[in-house]
Amino acid sequence: MTEKYNMPDERGHFGPYGGIFVAETLIPPIQELNAAYQQYLNDPEFIAELDADLKYYVGRPSPLYHAERWSRELGGAQIYLKREDLNHTGSHKINNTVGQALLAKRMGKTRIIAETGAGQHGVATATVAARLGLECVVYMGAVDVARQSLNVYRMKLLGATVIAVESGSKTLKDALNEALRDWVTNVDNTFYIIGTVAGPHPYPAMVRDFQAIIGREAKEQCLEATGRLPDALVACVGGGSNAIGLFHPFINDASVKMYGVEAAGDGVATGRHSAPLCAGRPGVLHGNRTYLMADDDGEIIETHSISAGLDYPGVGPEHAWLKDTGRATYVNITDTEALEGFYALTHMEGIIPALESSHAMAYTMKLAPTMNKDETIIINLSGRGDKDMQTMAKREGIEL
Amino acid sequence: MSRLAARFEELAKTGRKALIPFITAGDPKPEFTVPMMHAMVEAGVDVIELGVPFSDPMADGPVIQRASERALAHKMSLRRTLEIATEFRKTDQKTPVVLMGYLNPIEAMGYENFANAAQLADIDGVLTVDLPPEEGVECGALLKARGVDPIFLLAPNSTDERVKKMDASGSGYIYYVSLKGVTGAGHLNVADVENKVKQIKANTQLPIAIGFGVKDADTAKTVANIGDGVVIGSALISKIEANLDDPDQAKNEIIELLTSIRHALDN
């Protein structure tokens, strides 16, 4: 890998991936957004305001916690958890929504829209919209509305309008389609806060830059705790925002291995999964070229995962590039394995992870024992499991 | 001269406006489409836009979304849409056919394979909603080399710079999206359309077809007179949707609407 990783290019390309693939009506707002983003990216006043929000509102820096008992139990590498679950609203999603909301304010937009899968991004968006007094509309697949009803209630409580999307597979991809349709209709006053590192340029780069605080902190904290860089990073990948946030500041550190964990659902071999990097093919969806779950005719196929936040047929274009260049390795974890990860962290460390993050836990259970005790793994604990209590209780046959 | 260029030149000579219907290939079932296309030609349409069904039609409103879903339920695809076009062409060598859809089915087929297949099916134009000219250089060149016109969209918020870009990259005609929104949306504002089309015409010689939000003969006439033609899609597909158990009735109602629009445009 090059010493001077400097992706994407000015039109948003990560090698053959990324770019701007949208209907013409969205070109002007995307140009406007890109201009604003480039302007404020290096604006000291903007950065100071963002830093203050991250510190006093989000609660950063999030701790890097040494899971000693779990590490001992697994008998290999020392495991450190980057505690994004401790952020305000319970996941890493707020890092990005705080940043984009500040941009929206500077651009004079009065209305915020978002798509959401598990509801974490929707909650994080509704939260910042409430704080700034902006109108907020969140699109969520009807299937996800049903399985993440706690988060739906939270969004409504925060004053957002939640629209259940009934088209297509009624999950995250359909919520994104519907949000794009809203944006095209209301381009003049509306700012679309995309929650992951997908979408047309500049979203993949912009969301990454807002999430890279995770990796910057983790690097510093790891050096402080262990005196050296970590040997491996592990993060779950749906669209890939928490993973890229952790990975990006380490891309030039060649000794640090990176593992992105996709959702294998019932198993990649069954076809019922959400693992485009492991088992998909390149194509174009939602404004960028990336790996997709699509059939031979290019139609997007339905995905499956126990975790709504990973239930998406695409993935951020930068991950597609990191896969092709071999800089990061992408693996997959089934629903059943993810549940083992969920229970392991809960029982061993007294931390209940989100089902999404549980995929990263489960992969670490395979990886850690293959490594030496003086080696270090950092897992991105991207969110807490509170939102999944109903799903888990239901699986255990308990009525809440 | 391409079939599209010839058609617009002929219309200009006789002072007529182009009537361009949009239907989704294979909606409500595959065998409906070819006879429907021939019937529309008899009703006096000038160009046919044939929608390629896609699982995630991000720029379309609910009516065309559902048309895509119905067609996909019958395993319709880009490949089968090309077969429909081939079938139509066997008995109609005059009417230009434009494929309108999204990029991913073309990516899956491969640009060169697609361009070859489009040429073989005697397709006249390809409008790919989510392929702006910057990303469409390669695909556009392959199509143009085979005599197929790449057609681009312009929107109410498009700048002069964008108009010039479409003028340089596209051929056949420019599809002007009359309102900010999805297909079949609300009401278009005639004065706005008029001003914008004037601005577009100052920067391109290509014919302008105006679509989105055209629901009846009156709007069609008003809009067509601003540009060089009018595209009508959701209003036709609504007829299919209203008569799912009786495709013949759907066909009759579509022809009735197109006939009334043709009459309005010519008088």
Side-chain angles (χ1 to χ4, degrees):
Chain A
M1 200 67 206
T2 162
E3 290 268 315
K4 290 175 280 175
Y5 183 86
N6 191 26
M7 292 287 189
D9 70 14
E10 78 281 0
R11 287 200 290 122
H13 296 113
F14 301 87
Y17 304 108
I20 299 176
F21 294 88
V22 294
E24 195 56 29
T25 315
L26 289 181
I27 294 286
I30 282 169
Q31 287 174 339
E32 184 193 1
L33 172 64
N34 197 26
Y37 175 58
Q38 298 303 334
Q39 178 190 341
Y40 293 115
L41 183 63
N42 298 309
D43 175 56
E45 217 171 283
F46 179 85
I47 291 170
E49 194 176 345
L50 177 61
D51 286 348
D53 277 359
L54 290 174
K55 184 173 176 185
Y56 298 107
Y57 191 66
V58 176
R60 303 205 71 90
S62 67
L64 186 71
Y65 167 73
H66 186 190
E68 286 183 73
R69 185 173 174 226
W70 198 33
S71 304
R72 243 192 339 269
E73 163 87 9
L74 292 173
Q78 299 307 305
I79 299 167
Y80 285 78
L81 303 172
K82 182 59 174 161
R83 299 291 307 273
E84 294 300 303
D85 61 318
L86 294 178
N87 293 339
H88 179 41
T89 71
S91 82
H92 72 291
K93 291 294 187 188
I94 190 97
N95 302 329
N96 167 51
T97 59
V98 160
Q100 289 198 47
L102 286 182
L103 265 185
K105 200 172 79 174
R106 277 174 168 69
M107 290 169 73
K109 302 291 179 183
T110 55
R111 183 172 175 272
I112 299 282
I113 58 169
E115 85 295 336
T116 196
Q120 292 302 96
H121 174 60
V123 168
T125 303
T127 297
V128 296
R131 180 170 175 244
L132 296 176
L134 300 172
E135 185 192 347
C136 180
V137 176
V138 179
Y139 291 92
M140 189 169 185
V143 167
D144 294 337
V145 167
R147 63 177 162 176
Q148 301 284 346
S149 57
L150 269 176
N151 272 344
V152 174
Y153 178 65
R154 288 168 81 194
M155 288 183 263
K156 288 181 177 166
L157 209 52
L158 288 159
T161 304
V162 179
I163 298 181
V165 177
E166 298 283 353
S167 58
S169 60
K170 304 180 173 56
T171 59
L172 180 53
K173 81 168 172 78
D174 311 286
L176 235 151
N177 290 337
E178 212 53 42
L180 285 167
R181 292 180 188 122
D182 180 312
W183 198 22
V184 96
T185 308
N186 302 293
V187 283
D188 296 330
N189 69 343
T190 297
F191 189 107
Y192 180 14
I193 299 189
I194 293 186
T196 192
V197 284
H201 179 66
Y203 283 102
M206 177 173 68
V207 176
R208 173 199 71 196
D209 290 346
F210 287 136
Q211 291 294 2
I213 182 85
I214 301 171
R216 287 198 302 271
E217 285 178 6
K219 191 185 240 184
E220 200 176 300
Q221 291 164 322
C222 184
L223 287 169
E224 198 180 294
T226 70
R228 47 191 288 273
L229 288 172
D231 298 285
L233 308 174
V234 181
C236 64
V237 177
S241 70
N242 90 78
I244 213 77
L246 178 62
F247 293 177
H248 190 258
F250 291 96
I251 287 179
N252 290 327
D253 300 311
S255 68
V256 181
K257 294 192 174 71
M258 302 173 175
Y259 297 95
V261 186
E262 294 194 298
D266 292 345
V268 164
T270 66
R272 282 173 51 78
H273 60 86
S274 305
L277 288 168
C278 293
R281 64 178 87 197
V284 170
L285 181 70
H286 294 151
N288 66 96
R289 182 180 286 116
T290 187
Y291 279 83
L292 295 176
M293 305 237 332
D295 65 16
D296 291 342
D297 292 321
E299 306 295 344
I300 305 305
I301 52 184
E302 286 198 15
T303 52
H304 172 80
S305 170
I306 189 172
S307 59
L310 303 183
D311 212 343
Y312 180 66
V315 62
E318 192 161 14
H319 286 295
W321 176 242
L322 292 176
K323 172 196 156 79
D324 281 11
T325 57
R327 179 61 189 95
T329 304
Y330 294 89
V331 296
N332 56 84
I333 283 291
T334 64
D335 287 353
T336 312
E337 292 171 324
L339 289 171
E340 286 168 22
F342 175 89
Y343 286 117
L345 194 68
T346 303
H347 296 151
M348 297 302 299
E349 296 290 346
I351 298 171
I352 302 176
L355 284 173
E356 289 76 16
S357 321
S358 297
H359 288 72
M361 303 305 145
Y363 184 70
T364 303
M365 289 164 74
K366 296 183 180 182
L367 180 66
T370 70
M371 293 169 65
N372 295 324
K373 286 184 179 150
D374 58 356
E375 291 183 303
T376 307
I377 299 175
I378 297 178
I379 318 176
N380 196 354
L381 176 45
S382 54
R384 57 180 177 243
D386 304 28
K387 70 180 175 62
D388 297 310
M389 290 304 93
Q390 280 174 327
T391 306
M392 292 306 296
K394 203 169 152 199
R395 290 188 73 90
E396 294 180 0
I398 298 165
E399 196 68 43
L400 289 182
Chain B
M1 189 186 289
S2 79
R3 210 181 259 125
L4 276 168
R7 176 56 49 107
F8 276 100
E9 196 179 279
E10 174 194 319
L11 285 164
K13 259 186 216 154
T14 52
R16 294 168 77 234
K17 301 294 181 180
L19 173 55
I20 309 177
F22 170 99
I23 56 168
T24 299
D27 171 38
K29 51 186 181 176
E31 58 271 30
F32 179 80
T33 307
V34 173
M36 186 72 244
M37 290 168 79
H38 287 304
M40 292 195 299
V41 172
E42 268 174 52
V45 308
D46 300 293
V47 176
I48 294 174
E49 286 187 356
L50 195 54
V52 183
F54 182 52
S55 52
D56 295 80
M58 289 151 283
D60 285 301
V63 171
I64 293 178
Q65 285 175 47
R66 289 193 292 264
S68 252
E69 283 175 17
R70 285 192 295 270
L72 289 173
H74 287 99
K75 303 258 180 279
M76 191 46 57
S77 61
L78 175 55
R79 213 170 293 274
R80 293 188 67 194
T81 303
L82 286 161
E83 286 168 17
I84 283 177
T86 305
E87 184 66 27
F88 169 77
R89 191 56 86 216
K90 279 183 190 163
T91 45
D92 185 329
Q93 282 85 46
K94 275 192 182 156
T95 310
V97 174
V98 172
L99 294 188
M100 182 166 178
Y102 294 81
L103 184 57
N104 202 49
I106 297 175
E107 289 254 327
M109 188 178 280
Y111 289 169
E112 192 157 6
N113 287 341
F114 170 66
N116 288 337
Q119 183 183 29
L120 207 65
D122 212 352
I123 295 292
D124 301 287
V126 174
L127 198 171
T128 313
V129 176
D130 55 349
L131 184 62
E134 291 84 354
E135 298 284 357
V137 174
E138 187 192 342
C139 193
L142 288 164
L143 290 173
K144 275 189 174 173
R146 288 160 182 77
V148 180
D149 291 316
I151 294 162
F152 289 98
L153 298 168
L154 280 171
N157 52 359
S158 297
T159 58
D160 282 349
E161 190 198 336
R162 293 304 289 175
V163 179
K164 286 173 191 157
K165 183 150 259 173
M166 302 315 170
D167 180 61
S169 314
S171 52
Y173 60 95
I174 280 174
Y175 187 134
Y176 178 63
V177 174
S178 67
L179 47 80
K180 293 171 193 160
V182 292
T183 50
H187 294 283
L188 55 87
N189 181 316
V190 174
D192 287 352
V193 175
E194 210 155 17
N195 289 333
K196 193 68 196 184
V197 171
K198 221 177 267 170
Q199 182 203 329
I200 293 171
K201 289 247 172 208
N203 289 294
T204 183
Q205 299 293 314
L206 286 171
I208 313 292
I210 301 170
F212 280 43
V214 180
K215 291 187 165 64
D216 50 39
D218 283 347
T219 340
K221 184 181 173 120
T222 312
V223 160
N225 283 334
I226 297 170
D228 303 290
V230 60
V231 185
I232 182 155
S234 297
L236 302 181
I237 291 174
S238 295
K239 308 286 186 197
I240 293 177
E241 196 158 64
N243 296 287
L244 285 177
D245 49 354
D246 190 353
D248 287 338
Q249 179 63 22
K251 191 171 154 188
N252 291 341
E253 289 184 20
I254 287 173
I255 294 307
E256 200 180 315
L257 179 57
L258 288 173
T259 307
S260 73
I261 295 175
R262 179 80 270 169
H263 183 80
L265 293 187
D266 293 348
N267 291 284

